[in-house]
Each structure stands twice: as structure tokens, then as C-alpha cells.
Amino acid sequence: MRLIDLSRAADQRSFDDSHSYSIDNREVALKSASCRYTGLVHKLTLSSMTGSYIDFPGHIKETDNGWDAKNFPPELLYRIPCRTIHLDRPDRSGGITAEDLRQAAGGDIKTPFLVINALGNRHFWEIEQRTVWLAMDAVDWIISTGCRCILSDVYESTSLDGVFLKLFGAGICTVCEPGLLAPLPETALVSVIFFPIPSVKQIPCRILAEVEE
């Protein structure tokens, strides 16, 4: 098996520069009869949208199902079989429809974890923001796959059609602002890892995919 890191690091580009972070370092002098050294402790200040991040349905108040970063069952996001759909949509090419996804997938599919690579070899920040998006019939198709979580490099349009509202209403978590998705094969095992903080409905995460050599 080979491991692919699909995460975007905290210092990589985002659509929104306000999703930044800061680090305050504190040195702690430690010594004993045997040794002397200096420990380094960090105080981190960051947005929940720093780097790649996962949204639980409660990211929208009206669709909150009680899940948060502490009580979400980790087994639902650990080494989960995923199906990846690859498209290659250029900048400002508009909505991706259910039929677009169906054709790219080779038909209707069932999967617990869905990955949509809409932009080919481009990162999400290399297009004009929200000029490629998931049409609402595509959202219905995504829900029909039975997935519990979706990772995509595009989601909502500038007109705010309700993509996240509908996905969260169906109990589906969303993983946003990934690194490059093009290297991911059609099938893999995906893990999404985050710190278990109670009451947090959106949190930065690490996205790892295991693929066959």
C-alpha cells in the first residue's frame, strides 16, 4: 500500500486570507542531575477553516444532528473505502450536474465515502472562486450514493443554492479545501483525522488515502 496525503497545510493558499493562524512559542528550561535542555511549547491561534477542514452537519445550525469533533465516531472516518470521480472542469465552467457525475462514474454507484475531483490537476485556488460548483441535482445524486462523507474541490456557487444545507440535512459531513486530488485512483481507503474538541462543528483535519501499489 502507498499513502497519499490529500491535506492542504495551514501555510498553503486559501480563497480567504482570514483563515490564517499564528504560533506563539514558549521556551521551558528543564534540568536535572543527569541533563539540561530546553523544551518548546506552542500556543496556537487559528480559524476552524485553516488548511483542510471537515464540516459536521452542525456547521449549519438548522441541520445540527449533535455530532461534533469529540463525539463523532472515529471508525466512520478511519480507513473507509472511497470512490473517486475525476472530472477536468475549467475555470468559470459552471455547474456540475448529476449526469456529469453519473457519466464520469460509469453509472450510479454506492459508497460510504465519495471523492469528487472536479478540477483535474488544478488546485481549488487556481480557479475563480465558486465558478465551478455542484448543481442541486448533483447533490441529490451524491445523497443517493449513501455516502456519509464527501471530499470535493468544489461545492457551492456564488448564488448560494443550498449545497451544504442539503448535504448536512442528509447527515453527510463535508471535507473542504483539500490538496491536489488528481493523484487519487478510483478506489482507496481514506482516513480523516482531527483533534477531539467538544462542541466544535468544523475543524482542521488531515486527509490520508491508502492506495494499492
Side-chain angles (χ1 to χ4, degrees):
M1 299 289 281
R2 178 168 57 95
L3 198 64
I4 300 177
D5 192 343
L6 302 173
S7 318
R8 184 175 64 87
D11 60 348
Q12 289 181 302
R13 286 190 58 185
S14 173
F15 277 137
D16 187 345
D17 290 337
S18 69
H19 303 160
S20 60
Y21 70 104
S22 63
I23 304 174
D24 292 325
N25 298 321
R26 177 167 61 92
E27 293 186 356
V28 181
L30 298 165
K31 63 180 180 179
S32 70
S34 304
C35 63
R36 180 189 302 263
Y37 58 90
T38 304
L40 193 61
V41 178
H42 309 293
K43 181 179 180 180
L44 307 176
T45 303
L46 71 164
S47 163
S48 62
M49 298 173 76
T50 300
S52 299
Y53 55 91
I54 184 169
D55 298 323
F56 304 103
H59 176 52
I60 292 179
K61 184 177 180 180
E62 289 81 0
T63 56
D64 192 349
N65 64 357
W67 280 341
D68 61 30
K70 182 181 179 182
N71 67 22
F72 189 88
E75 64 271 17
L76 298 184
L77 289 174
Y78 179 65
R79 303 189 78 230
I80 302 301
C82 87
R83 175 67 185 275
T84 300
I85 299 174
H86 291 285
L87 303 167
D88 191 11
R89 293 292 293 268
D91 191 13
R92 297 184 295 277
S93 61
I96 295 168
T97 66
E99 188 56 29
D100 292 331
L101 295 178
R102 186 178 293 109
Q103 287 187 9
D108 292 323
I109 61 172
K110 295 292 182 182
T111 182
F113 196 114
L114 180 65
V115 178
I116 297 177
N117 169 217
L119 303 177
N121 282 298
R122 290 177 298 281
H123 292 280
F124 67 89
W125 63 78
E126 295 179 296
I127 67 164
E128 186 177 338
Q129 187 175 11
R130 294 188 172 184
T131 61
V132 184
W133 66 86
L134 298 174
M136 294 310 291
D137 68 333
V139 176
D140 290 332
W141 187 87
I142 290 165
I143 293 169
S144 77
T145 68
C147 68
R148 294 186 296 262
C149 188
I150 176 175
L151 165 63
S152 179
D153 48 13
V154 300
Y155 281 103
E156 184 64 88
S157 73
T158 56
S159 61
L160 193 64
D161 300 317
V163 168
F164 289 105
L165 184 64
K166 197 158 193 176
L167 289 172
F168 295 156
I172 297 172
C173 300
T174 61
V175 182
C176 304
E177 302 203 0
L180 196 63
L181 297 179
L184 197 61
E186 185 176 281
T187 60
L189 298 177
V190 174
S191 298
V192 181
I193 304 166
F194 45 85
F195 193 61
I197 305 177
S199 302
V200 168
K201 308 295 185 176
Q202 177 189 69
I203 191 168
C205 65
R206 192 79 178 259
I207 315 155
L208 301 174
E210 299 172 61
V211 302
E212 295 284 353
E213 290 284 10

